[in-house]
Amino acid sequence: ALQQQEMALASERQRAGELAAIGAALTRIEAGDYGLCVECEEEIEEKRLEANPAVSLCLSCARNRER
């Protein structure tokens, strides 16, 4: 039962994070900034946006954050 609760909480946190990312993307659309990296302001690669429309970083900045 404890393991199921932890799995449910992890799933809820993931959904909350996804909703926040979608909300941020909608805000960028309204501001006219959608498709631009929030760090370097360069265009985010089209294939990256197709894979995840809520992504906010270009591939280069995303890789830099992982380090």
Side-chain angles (χ1 to χ4, degrees):
L2 211 51
Q3 185 179 13
Q4 285 180 334
Q5 278 183 325
E6 285 299 319
M7 288 174 56
L9 286 173
S11 181
E12 182 61 30
R13 282 191 295 270
Q14 181 178 357
R15 280 193 297 269
E18 290 171 355
L19 286 174
I22 291 168
L26 290 172
T27 299
R28 289 192 305 277
I29 289 169
E30 291 172 2
D33 296 330
Y34 181 76
L36 298 179
C37 177
V38 297
E39 287 198 6
C40 71
E41 298 182 359
E42 294 293 322
E43 286 191 28
I44 298 172
E45 300 81 2
E46 187 175 333
K47 289 190 181 236
R48 186 163 169 78
L49 287 171
E50 287 174 5
N52 180 358
V55 72
S56 63
L57 298 172
C58 68
L59 189 56
S60 178
C61 288
R63 285 183 178 153
N64 286 339
R65 272 203 181 175
E66 290 177 358
R67 294 180 191 169

